[in-house]
């Protein structure tokens, strides 16, 4: 047996993200897959294994069908593919709303089975007691307010929040409740810019915007959206890479070469 000591890998921690309030913008993307996560972590502070995986990778219409097992499977892949970034895994719909105790059981299952560094759950003031229960028992929690996709059936679709200024106080109160309960950061999704400013000013932890303007303390996008792999591009997404046509060309090239028998060639053949 080797006696050589290995230096333990140091991942970014939830408190380190929390400490970046108001500082250099926090960069984040989603990832569901070991190899893409390895690329993403070279440029990001944290990676979210989001429940958008259900829509992006499994063709679901919304995120309500995502299970704990699915989140764990993708969480494991992303943790295996990375060594430095904080990995945050989404708690899926139905796995935390019923009671703080059930939320704790499921959050600790996610952490034990994936070895991720934090979980994220959706909801404002009504989820504050659950967030407090988890944080007090050793589970770092990222909040998620504004447009909360797991509530799509209640909201009547994926609707930008805060178009009516009369709703702003409630959204700010949600953010404050989540932060007061101990969340180390809050995702603010799909809100108008002046509301994002109000929320960001109101909480002592970083706000991570998605469709919430440049006024947040950090940004997150769904990787496949910014790589051009989603046929429907929401307005808040900027497409940084057009992978769809690249994949199409590669698959077309392969199919043609199989059909004309030029693949496999000599280089790919065991003689
Ligand atoms: O599941 C997800 O991808 C998310 C982001 C939209 C923040 O929660």
């Amino acid at each position: 047996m080797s006696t050589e000591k290995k230096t333990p890998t140091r991942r970014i921690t939830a408190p380190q993200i929390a400490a970046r309030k108001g500082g250099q913008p926090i960069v984040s993307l989603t990832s569901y897959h070991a190899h893409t996560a390895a690329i993403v972590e070279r440029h990001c502070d944290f990676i979210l294994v989001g429940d958008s995986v259900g829509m992006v990778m499994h063709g679901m219409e919304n995120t309500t069908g995502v299970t704990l097992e699915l989140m764990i499977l993708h969480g494991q892949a992303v943790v295996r593919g990375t060594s430095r970034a904080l990995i945050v895994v989404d708690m899926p719909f139905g796995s935390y709303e019923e009671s703080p105790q059930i939320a704790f059981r499921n959050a600790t299952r996610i952490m034990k089975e994936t070895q991720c560094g934090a979980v994220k759950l959706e909801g404002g003031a009504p989820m504050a007691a659950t967030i407090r229960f988890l944080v007090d028992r050793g589970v770092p929690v990222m909040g998620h307010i504004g447009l909360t996709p797991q509530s799509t059936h209640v909201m009547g679709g994926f609707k930008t929040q805060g178009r009516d200024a009369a709703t702003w106080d409630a959204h700010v109160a949600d953010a404050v409740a989540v932060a007061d309960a101990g969340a180390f950061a809050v995702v603010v999704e799909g809100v108008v810019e002046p509301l994002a400013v109000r929320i960001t000013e109101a909480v002592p932890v970083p706000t991570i915007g998605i469709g919430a303007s440049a006024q947040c303390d950090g940004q997150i996008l769904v990787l496949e959206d910014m790589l051009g792999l989603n046929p429907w591009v929401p307005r808040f997404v900027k497409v940084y890479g057009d992978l769809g046509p690249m994949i199409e060309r590669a698959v077309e090239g392969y199919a043609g070469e199989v059909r004309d028998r030029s693949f496999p060639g000599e280089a790919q053949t065991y003689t």
Side-chain angles (χ1 to χ4, degrees):
M1 203 175 81
S2 162
T3 52
E4 201 183 306
K5 283 217 172 105
K6 266 194 170 174
T7 318
T9 312
R10 291 239 177 271
R11 281 188 188 267
I12 295 173
T13 62
Q16 284 172 330
I17 296 291
R20 292 195 35 197
K21 173 74 184 176
Q24 215 197 19
I26 297 164
V27 185
S28 174
L29 284 166
T30 63
S31 182
Y32 321 117
H33 169 261
H35 300 318
T36 53
I39 299 170
V40 168
E41 84 156 345
R42 292 203 279 274
H43 308 277
C44 287
D45 301 302
F46 75 88
I47 295 178
L48 174 69
V49 185
D51 62 353
S52 53
V53 66
M55 299 168 74
V56 175
M57 304 276 288
H58 297 274
M60 297 178 184
E61 250 179 53
N62 56 57
T63 56
T64 59
V66 174
T67 62
L68 201 58
E69 286 69 27
L70 192 70
M71 294 312 304
I72 289 171
L73 196 68
H74 287 281
Q76 287 169 336
V78 169
V79 170
R80 282 189 209 113
T82 55
S83 59
R84 187 194 65 85
L86 170 68
I87 309 300
V88 182
V89 176
D90 254 344
M91 297 198 70
F93 182 56
S95 70
Y96 60 92
E97 301 89 334
E98 197 175 342
S99 71
Q101 287 78 6
I102 290 176
F104 181 73
R105 197 170 310 139
N106 288 328
T108 50
R109 185 170 163 212
I110 291 175
M111 291 187 77
K112 281 171 190 289
E113 293 186 30
T114 68
Q115 294 293 295
C116 69
V119 298
K120 173 166 83 59
L121 57 84
E122 294 183 8
M127 280 301 127
T130 296
I131 294 172
R132 170 52 62 203
F133 191 90
L134 296 187
V135 174
D136 283 350
R137 286 157 183 79
V139 179
V141 179
M142 177 175 280
H144 184 156
I145 61 151
L147 194 172
T148 46
Q150 291 176 10
S151 306
T152 179
H153 293 302
V154 172
M155 288 180 163
F158 297 105
K159 296 214 165 108
T160 307
Q161 301 294 298
R163 289 204 189 279
D164 175 0
T167 64
W168 291 2
D169 284 350
H171 287 293
V172 173
D174 276 340
V176 169
V178 164
D180 283 354
F184 69 93
V186 187
V187 168
V188 180
E189 179 167 356
V191 306
V192 296
E193 185 170 32
L195 176 55
V197 172
R198 286 259 208 116
I199 292 171
T200 299
E201 283 172 357
V203 294
V205 294
T207 53
I208 310 295
I210 174 161
S213 83
Q215 307 301 327
C216 296
D217 298 297
Q219 296 292 327
I220 185 163
L221 282 177
V222 171
L223 181 67
E224 283 71 7
D225 286 352
M226 59 90 86
L227 291 180
L229 284 172
N230 187 349
W232 176 71
V233 185
R235 159 142 190 235
F236 61 81
V237 173
K238 182 169 173 187
V239 178
Y240 286 85
D242 205 5
L243 252 57
M246 280 178 72
I247 295 176
E248 180 93 45
R249 274 196 301 278
V251 174
E252 193 183 11
Y254 164 74
E257 292 191 6
V258 170
R259 291 197 177 103
D260 69 16
R261 294 196 186 278
S262 56
F263 176 83
E266 216 177 296
Q268 298 88 31
T269 302
Y270 300 106
T271 50

